[in-house]
Amino acid sequence: MSAMETRAASPVADAFARDGFVCPITVMSTDEAAEYRRQLEAAEAAYGADKSFRKMLRRYPNLVLPFIDEITRRPEITGAVAEILGPDLLVLDAPFFIKEANTTSFVSWHQDLHYWGLETEEEVTAWVALSPATAESGCMRFVAGSQNRQVAHNDTHAEDNLLTRGQEIAVKVDESEATEAELQPGQMSLHHGRVFHASHPNRTGDRRIGLAIRYIPTRARQTEGGNMAAMLVRGEDRFGNFHPCHPPTGLMTEADVAHWTEIAGARNKVMLGGKED
Ligand SMILES: O=C(O)CCC(=O)C(=O)O
């Protein structure tokens, strides 16, 4: 029995163990969420013309943008995750999933852990909304209880799919079983790395902005792709199974961008089989 199963002694952990997701959980005020969104959009205005900056939003933005590192350490978020994974937490990645207003971008049904090369299933994603995530704007949809199965996936490389390989579950998902995980800015959902999830396009006039923070306990181990890097954000690391990442020293500093290049390159090898995204 895994630690994730034995720790189910809180409402959050109980719901997570039963359904594979929990939502909505309020983790900051709407004003704080609006301030993080302002900082994101200021960074996009300053650096967005650069293709590598756009990649940084999709992989480890917490290494180069201090306000993202700050979000990943917020006690309202890490405290809820700790109820499931225990007190010592690493962030493995923290990609943004942004759907622009009235666009066709979508996310196909998938299980996260399929491609990550982790030995463990002890992984929790905290998906933090910085704008409204509603059925109309393409919020995440989950199939409760599906985390107990592991199914095959196909790489579709579909153009509008926000996933790196357009990966899609190879079995038919019954759409009527899906729960819409609607969130207001400042709320989050937590989801298990094996729960079936997907999202429709954004049919509203505002951007749908979510930060998907991937938490693992420090005892987790990588079995594929060598020793990955991860950021300690809560407690202590008594295992040293992942190379420690350094918190950013400023906004997009030269040293932090070099650190990002090294770490993101190693992770791309695992996620994309060495190909660039
Ligand atoms: O943002 C979305 O719609 C999908 C996010 C997702 O697949 C994930 O966080 O694992």
Side-chain angles (χ1 to χ4, degrees):
M1 190 179 270
S2 74
M4 202 132 114
E5 286 166 83
T6 55
R7 208 177 296 278
S10 75
V12 166
D14 286 347
F16 188 87
R18 185 188 61 234
D19 297 333
F21 68 93
V22 191
C23 73
I25 302 174
T26 300
V27 293
M28 63 184 79
S29 68
T30 46
D31 284 354
E32 287 174 299
E35 172 55 20
Y36 285 130
R37 177 177 179 168
R38 190 199 62 71
Q39 292 190 60
L40 166 68
E41 292 180 340
E44 288 177 311
Y47 307 105
D50 182 353
K51 192 170 159 226
S52 52
F53 176 76
R54 295 200 300 275
K55 284 189 190 171
M56 286 174 198
L57 293 183
R58 288 308 311 273
R59 190 141 298 157
Y60 297 112
N62 56 322
L63 299 187
V64 289
L65 300 174
F67 62 96
I68 302 302
D69 181 59
E70 181 181 302
I71 295 176
T72 68
R73 295 170 191 275
R74 285 184 71 103
E76 303 90 334
I77 301 176
T78 58
V81 174
E83 289 180 34
I84 301 166
L85 296 180
D88 300 320
L89 298 176
L90 298 169
V91 167
L92 188 60
D93 201 352
F96 270 104
F97 282 86
I98 299 177
K99 291 179 188 160
E100 299 299 341
N102 290 309
T103 48
T104 49
S105 300
F106 72 101
V107 172
S108 49
W109 286 109
H110 68 287
Q111 296 177 298
D112 292 333
L113 287 177
H114 201 72
Y115 293 89
W116 293 4
L118 290 176
E119 180 189 66
T120 178
E121 298 217 336
E122 288 193 283
E123 182 274 336
V124 171
T125 294
W127 196 102
V128 181
L130 297 186
S131 71
T134 60
E136 218 192 339
S137 71
C139 65
M140 265 200 291
R141 309 168 69 227
F142 297 108
V143 177
S146 55
Q147 74 278 10
N148 299 320
R149 301 167 63 191
Q150 178 172 344
V151 299
H153 286 59
N154 296 322
D155 290 349
T156 68
H157 297 284
E159 206 180 315
D160 288 336
N161 197 328
L162 286 182
L163 300 179
T164 44
R165 309 169 180 219
Q167 51 269 43
E168 185 167 42
I169 284 173
V171 296
K172 182 94 187 93
V173 175
D174 182 350
E175 295 280 336
S176 70
E177 289 184 0
T179 303
E180 309 269 6
E182 294 199 319
L183 301 172
Q184 288 307 308
Q187 293 186 321
M188 73 170 178
S189 57
L190 297 178
H191 73 261
H192 187 290
R194 289 241 183 262
V195 76
F196 293 7
H197 59 291
S199 64
H200 289 310
N202 178 2
R203 293 177 284 109
T204 71
D206 191 11
R207 313 174 81 192
R208 193 222 60 167
I209 305 172
L211 182 69
I213 313 169
R214 319 297 194 185
Y215 291 98
I216 52 175
T218 50
R219 62 182 168 273
R221 289 196 321 162
Q222 183 83 22
T223 53
E224 281 169 42
N227 200 349
M228 293 284 112
M231 182 86 83
L232 181 68
V233 291
R234 188 186 196 275
E236 60 175 318
D237 184 355
R238 287 170 288 113
F239 296 89
N241 291 339
F242 289 79
H243 290 303
C245 294
H246 319 299
T249 53
L251 191 68
M252 294 287 288
T253 66
E254 207 175 304
D256 294 340
V257 170
H259 182 48
W260 179 92
T261 304
E262 187 192 323
I263 286 169
R267 187 150 170 83
N268 273 350
K269 287 207 178 93
V270 177
M271 301 285 284
L272 299 167
K275 293 189 234 74
E276 281 290 302
D277 47 343

